[in-house]
Amino acid sequence: MALHGAHVMEWQPSSAPNPVLYLSPAAVLQEGKAIRGGIPICWPWFNARPGGQPGPSHGVARSQFWDLVSVTEDADGVTFVMSLVHESLKATATLALGDKLTVSLESENLGEESVKLSGALHTYLKIDEITMITVGGLAGREYLDTVGTPTRRTQDGPVVFEGELDRIFDHSGMIRVDDPGLDRVLQIEKEGSPSTVVWNPWAEKAAGLADLPDDAFKGFACVEAAIANEAAVELPPGATHRLGTTVSVAS
């Protein structure tokens, strides 16, 4: 865990023989930088800041230190609660680590005007080999393919990886990642998430990322609970919105 970004860096339930999250060995642990791997919190916007205003890509949450509100432990595991205020928005992250991993992000509008809210829980899943996995639950869904010229398409069957992949799906349901190399299925459930992002940079883009080994793209896939682009939520004064993801392991 890191207060930097309210970031789950690594997680492996006691019942699983292998780690579930991928953390780059070259990750930069420095305020102002996002940690590469684990579950970065993209908030309070997704991609570029709306309206052409200045601000880092994917918001400020993943590169700042959060305030630790509480840590509790019971038979189910350990729960961390952290908070961050940015302008008129307050974020509260609840991170529950046990046999399942749940990250819940509640946003509250403290201001007097409505705010457009977007973001993502950018989950890096550790897998055996990128060309061998499949991502199920998205067949028949429309998505925006952002590799090259952005194009709207419809998913045919499970998602497979044969090169750089960056797709934003219109999808709010469950996702299953079949990883035959590790003989397991990873299940991702979402809350308050009208978008699912599936991403892998592949060789050329991975080589251009200083905080990622050149061949590391082979060992992870990102499957994100998101509120992306046109799916942004209108948050009136005093209103709240909860974005959540739960990851579990099946054999």
Side-chain angles (χ1 to χ4, degrees), residues 59-94:
V60 300
R62 61 185 184 156
S63 59
Q64 295 188 8
F65 279 87
W66 291 51
D67 294 322
L68 181 62
V69 177
S70 66
V71 182
T72 56
E73 184 175 4
D74 58 24
D76 294 326
V78 181
T79 299
F80 298 81
V81 179
M82 306 181 194
S83 67
L84 178 73
V85 175
H86 175 72
E87 297 178 350
S88 64
L89 286 172
K90 179 181 179 180
T92 301
T94 302

Side-chain angles (χ1 to χ4, degrees), residues 41-50 56 58-62 66 84-91 105 107 115-120 227 232-233 235:
I41 294 177
C42 304
W43 180 90
W45 58 81
F46 181 84
N47 281 334
R49 187 172 186 178
H58 292 314
V60 300
R62 61 185 184 156
W66 291 51
L84 178 73
V85 175
H86 175 72
E87 297 178 350
S88 64
L89 286 172
K90 179 181 179 180
L105 180 67
S107 301
V115 177
K116 284 280 191 180
L117 176 73
S118 57
I227 308 167
V233 174
L235 204 61

Side-chain angles (χ1 to χ4, degrees), residues 188-200:
I188 298 96
E189 300 170 80
K190 308 192 301 163
E191 176 186 4
S193 166
S195 316
T196 296
V197 179
V198 181
W199 177 73
N200 183 281

